[in-house]
Amino acid sequence: MMPDRGSEQVLLVDDNPTNLQVLFKTLEGSGYRLLAARDGEAALYTAKRARPALILLDVMMPGMDGFEVCERLKADPETADIAVIFLSALTDSQSKVHGLAIGGVDYIAKPFQTDEVLARVRTHIKIQRLERALARRNTELEDENQQILNAVDEGIVGLDVTGRITSMNAQAAAITGWAAADSIGELFSQLNLFPNDAPLSQSFSLLCEGGVGLRKDHVSISTRSGHVAPVALSGSPRKEGGAVLVLRDISEWLKDQFALEQAREEMDTQRQHLAHIERLSTGGEMAAGIAHEVNQPLTAVTNYARVAQRLLADLPEDRRQKMDEVLSKIAVQAERAAAVIQRMRSYVKKPSGGREVLQINEVLVDVLALAEVDSRVNAIPIELDVAESLPKIFADEVQLQQVALNLIRNAMESTANTGQSHAVEVSTYLDAGMVYFRVKDFGAGLAPEIEEQLFSPFVTSKEGGMGIGLSVSKSIMQAHGGDIRYQPNPDGGAIFSCEFPVHQ
Ligand code: ADP
């Protein structure tokens, strides 16, 4: 079977017509299309026009000799890949070496054997065909590669061992402002993309020369126009030496981060605001209690004052001791009234002071003092049962008071609704590495429709209730890395437990 070489052309060049004829005869019928030229000029002309796969080129010709023809062919990109086999009576090795050095693929001595010429022509045409196919495939692969590189969002820059740019995709050009055509072949450091960052420049040298990878989540790149842009950067060494740099424009991402941060801050402000409103509302409710409670000591103060007045009118010596006693009672009652008002004031007005290391038991003692008025008015005692030597927690004291007071007041209210006066039990303990405080009551317990969305805002069963106490408490607890949970009291009533992580 005839190999597929019908379309390949072979150009025969010899100034001697007889030689040309012999060559013609030799290759005739071999399947190649044959062209002929009788001098150098004609050979160059035909080679350029017909682009043969191979030229059998006589060396010694009048005018332009075969070596010169070959040199000219190789110098012209259009004809450089044509395989040239020299034919010459010059058989000294110097001529052969010269012929091969200037780009010839083979050298056949004259007089030649026809079989040998045919065999060599076939071999070189085959090699030539494979080389052309390989070159085509290479170009295709390079195109494909470039298309892929240009399609990705990241800028990709190839560097050789000395830090010179070997390739650059479209996105890299867009990020840096440097066109690939201006950058390829230049030293990466010459683009001066990271001025004033000596350690980074050092990292690039280490990457290209030492194969040490690098990664920066956020660096400022100075583009060709002097514009500064944020980028993420990574450099990976290549097995064959040099490295690949990947640049990602993170300005959009940073904008999103910034917006997110602002939204978070806004949420935090709103939460503080809500907590404050809730405190004011609790405070408002308690104000009525205070008015009642403050009234009693003040009445006492007035009465004692009257007594003192009377005693003063007829001041016999022996009554001085009694007088002292009455006056000190006045002082005690007045101080008590002042203390109640003072506590209320500080609770309602005090802004959150931020977190500090706290002993939860101490905070609860203060909360109980605040709840004392309600406790007495409703005749529902509060029992405090604290665990000894609890680890400290890291919390905002005012917010913690708020959560505890809210739970205790809800508990007392629920107990009062049942018409009995079982004590509300407040306790602290350590469980599974978390610090807890728990408020347990023996009241009516939770209505099923309330239980379902207990910690959602505006859920209330109380007339005039705001229904935000528990939702605020939940967000306060979660902001502390803890949580608040409800469970029914098996003996009737409700149990709310708040957990805090231990301060390390
Ligand atoms: P508010 O007290 O203003 O209603 P909260 O968020 O503090 O708001 O409570 C929401 C609802 O949960 C209350 O209206 C009540 O129905 C129920 N609740 C809370 N604590 C208890 C409790 N200890 N016993 C029974 N019901 C409770």
Side-chain angles (χ1 to χ4, degrees), residues 371 374-375 378 380 382 408-417 424:
D374 267 1
S375 165
N378 292 311
I380 298 167
I382 303 171
I408 292 170
R409 296 193 76 240
N410 277 346
M412 286 197 292
E413 225 170 313
S414 172
T415 309
N417 284 345
V424 167

Side-chain angles (χ1 to χ4, degrees), residues 60-83:
M60 284 187 301
M61 293 186 291
M64 196 188 302
D65 70 6
F67 288 147
E68 192 180 341
V69 174
C70 180
E71 275 167 339
R72 290 208 193 180
L73 286 169
K74 297 296 160 191
D76 183 344
E78 280 187 47
T79 53
D81 69 338
I82 300 174

Side-chain angles (χ1 to χ4, degrees), residues 406 410 414 441 445 450 454 459-462 466-467 469-470 494 496:
N406 188 45
N410 277 346
S414 172
D441 69 60
I450 297 278
L454 190 58
V459 172
T460 182
S461 62
K462 298 170 194 168
M466 288 188 44
L470 287 177
F496 284 89

